[in-house]
């Protein structure tokens, strides 16, 4: 990735953002070392409104989004100048001509890359086609035999990843996909991240078929030196010096195995989409709910749905207690998969607050619960002074 003076790199970003006829979308995120941008994340795109063509800027803080539509050319230029003045660590700008990525390292160096545009050119309206981070006709999908629903799921997952890409360390990345299955995400994540850096990725699955299939696909795509597969249960996965851990739809407590393995390996970023939640649902069924919440678990279907929510809420809390910042998001449409909740955790090392310790301890005590993830991370929780 070419290194430039930061001002020169930002000038290229500014020019791409003000490419009135060619801009598709842009995202700014992350903070340069020792700085705090006014916004957690910013998204920019052209829109066609009744009042005419505008540059739409959506600014996100920790709670909500603020949308403004700037008229061309003066208001748009002013908005772009304000954005590029913010100390964001990462810019991703897509135009009809190219995809531009700027990453500011911890040392303050500006690394700028250009690649071919993703997808096809789009119209300037609120009803324009979806723009893909990996083009639908990418050879990757042909080799994997991925249909439209799977491609949408992959694209949605990559957008969640792109939102925290600036949080990743500089230089080569080590990624592990736990419970990789048919490896759609394994290869898509490698393809996406390796655009701008070296990526070594290991797919882990308990089935020999998954290992053999993944290894065959890697050879067909010519990435067998960078993507390899291991046959092993998630709990026994060989994790060390890992930057990113992925776990998509690992069943029941296998998700807890994956999260615990990621924490013990010190992963910087964890992206996990849970599947079924039988363990806590069983505990709810066998236990007595605290007053006045018996109505929540009286009916089986409601008890199951409540168990889903409670399981992932407790997983998010445990990850926060052991030093991660956690977002719980919907990563794809429900029609593509009903299991579309994703835990996105970034390791900060920050100690938990006393309020979080108390809330977590009170919740599990009131319901008489023993979360599987808490069992697996008992030493780490003890170190954080969290009652068992």
């Amino acid at each position: 990735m070419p290194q430039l003076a930061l001002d020169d790199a930002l000038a290229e970003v500014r020019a791409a953002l003000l490419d009135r006829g060619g801009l598709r979308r842009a995202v700014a995120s992350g903070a340069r070392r020792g700085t705090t941008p006014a916004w957690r994340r910013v998204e920019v795109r052209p829109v066609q409104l009744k009042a005419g063509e505008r540059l739409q800027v959506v600014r996100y803080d920790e709670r909500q989004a603020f949308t403004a539509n700037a008229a061309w050319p003066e208001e748009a230029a002013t908005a772009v100048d304000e954005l590029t003045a913010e100390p964001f660590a990462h810019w991703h700008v897509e135009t009809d001509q190219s995809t531009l990525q700027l990453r500011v390292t911890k040392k303050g160096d500006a690394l700028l890359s250009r690649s071919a545009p993703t997808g096809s050119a789009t119209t300037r309206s609120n009803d324009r086609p979806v723009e893909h981070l990996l083009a639908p006709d990418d050879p990757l999908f042909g080799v994997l035999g991925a249909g439209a629903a799977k491609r949408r799921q992959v694209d949605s997952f990559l957008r969640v990843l792109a939102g925290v890409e600036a949080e990743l360390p500089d230089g080569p990345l080590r990624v592990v996909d736990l419970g990789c299955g048919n490896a759609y995400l394994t290869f898509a994540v490698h393809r996406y991240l390796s655009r701008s850096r070296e990526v070594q990725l290991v797919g882990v699955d308990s089935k020999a078929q998954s290992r053999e299939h993944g290894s065959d696909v890697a050879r067909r795509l010519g990435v067998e030196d960078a993507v390899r597969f291991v046959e092993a249960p998630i709990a026994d996965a060989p994790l060390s010096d890992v930057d990113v851990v992925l776990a998509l739809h690992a069943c029941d407590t296998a998700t807890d195995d994956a999260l615990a393995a990621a924490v013990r390996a010190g992963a910087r970023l964890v992206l996990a989409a849970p599947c079924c939640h039988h363990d806590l649902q069983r505990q709810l069924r066998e236990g007595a709910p605290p007053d006045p919440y018996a109505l929540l678990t009286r009916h089986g279907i409601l008890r199951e749905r409540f168990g889903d929510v409670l399981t992932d809420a407790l997983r998010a809390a445990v990850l926060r207690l052991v030093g991660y910042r956690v977002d719980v998001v919907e990563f794809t449409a429900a029609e593509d998969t009903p299991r579309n909740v994703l835990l996105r955790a970034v390791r900060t090392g920050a100690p938990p607050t006393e309020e979080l310790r108390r809330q977590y301890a009170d919740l599990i005590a009131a319901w008489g619960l023993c979360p599987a993830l808490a069992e697996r991370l008992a030493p780490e929780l003890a170190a954080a002074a969290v009652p068992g």
Side-chain angles (χ1 to χ4, degrees), residues 174-245:
R174 296 167 298 276
V175 183
V176 174
D177 187 356
L178 297 176
C180 61
N182 288 325
Y184 295 102
L185 282 182
T186 313
F187 288 104
V189 167
H190 179 264
R191 177 67 61 89
Y192 175 75
L193 289 176
S194 61
R195 289 173 170 177
S196 58
R197 64 176 93 195
E198 178 187 347
V199 179
Q200 290 291 321
L201 199 154
V202 177
V204 178
D205 201 279
S206 61
K207 297 183 180 66
Q209 179 184 359
S210 295
R211 173 180 55 79
E212 294 166 359
H213 169 75
S215 299
D216 178 62
V217 171
R219 286 191 293 270
R220 293 167 65 187
L221 291 172
V223 295
E224 64 271 25
D225 291 338
V227 183
R228 63 187 181 89
F229 293 85
V230 174
E231 181 185 343
I234 288 176
D236 299 332
L239 268 68
S240 62
D241 298 324
V242 174
D243 299 303
V244 181
V245 172

Side-chain angles (χ1 to χ4, degrees), residues 86-335:
E86 291 288 340
F88 289 114
H90 185 264
W91 274 97
H92 177 98
V93 186
E94 297 177 13
T95 72
D96 290 344
Q97 290 73 42
S98 65
T99 296
L100 178 71
Q101 293 200 71
L102 167 64
R103 184 162 57 89
V104 182
T105 70
K106 293 178 180 178
K107 295 181 179 180
D109 297 327
L111 303 180
L112 190 70
S113 69
R114 287 185 182 273
S115 58
T118 58
S120 57
T122 60
T123 57
R124 307 299 175 193
S125 73
N126 288 327
D127 297 325
R128 60 186 181 167
V130 174
E131 300 156 2
H132 301 276
L133 295 185
L134 287 182
D137 59 355
D138 191 296
L140 169 71
F141 294 124
V143 173
L144 288 169
K150 182 59 68 175
R151 293 197 302 270
R152 288 193 298 270
Q153 185 177 338
V154 165
D155 190 72
S156 298
F157 189 92
L158 292 180
R159 291 183 188 280
V160 174
L161 173 60
V164 288
E165 188 177 359
E167 306 275 5
L168 297 177
D170 301 326
L173 287 178
R174 296 167 298 276
V175 183
V176 174
D177 187 356
L178 297 176
C180 61
N182 288 325
Y184 295 102
L185 282 182
T186 313
F187 288 104
V189 167
H190 179 264
R191 177 67 61 89
Y192 175 75
L193 289 176
S194 61
R195 289 173 170 177
S196 58
R197 64 176 93 195
E198 178 187 347
V199 179
Q200 290 291 321
L201 199 154
V202 177
V204 178
D205 201 279
S206 61
K207 297 183 180 66
Q209 179 184 359
S210 295
R211 173 180 55 79
E212 294 166 359
H213 169 75
S215 299
D216 178 62
V217 171
R219 286 191 293 270
R220 293 167 65 187
L221 291 172
V223 295
E224 64 271 25
D225 291 338
V227 183
R228 63 187 181 89
F229 293 85
V230 174
E231 181 185 343
I234 288 176
D236 299 332
L239 268 68
S240 62
D241 298 324
V242 174
D243 299 303
V244 181
V245 172
L246 314 174
L248 185 71
H249 297 160
C251 188
D252 198 18
T253 56
T255 290
D256 301 293
D257 291 334
L259 294 174
V263 170
R264 288 193 295 267
R268 174 66 175 171
L269 173 64
V270 185
L271 299 175
C275 187
C276 45
H277 301 71
H278 299 315
D279 183 60
L280 217 60
Q281 290 170 359
R282 174 189 55 78
Q283 295 184 44
L284 290 174
R285 186 171 60 253
E286 295 175 353
D291 290 333
Y293 300 109
L295 295 179
L296 286 176
T297 59
R298 180 180 179 86
H299 304 283
I301 187 172
L302 298 181
R303 183 177 60 242
E304 289 184 4
R305 292 180 180 178
F306 176 61
D308 290 358
V309 172
L310 189 56
T311 299
D312 291 331
L314 289 172
R315 284 169 171 159
V318 170
L319 290 172
R320 291 173 61 198
L321 287 165
V322 297
Y324 282 78
R325 186 183 76 242
V326 184
D327 296 314
V328 182
V329 300
E330 286 188 338
F331 77 96
T332 191
E335 56 265 27

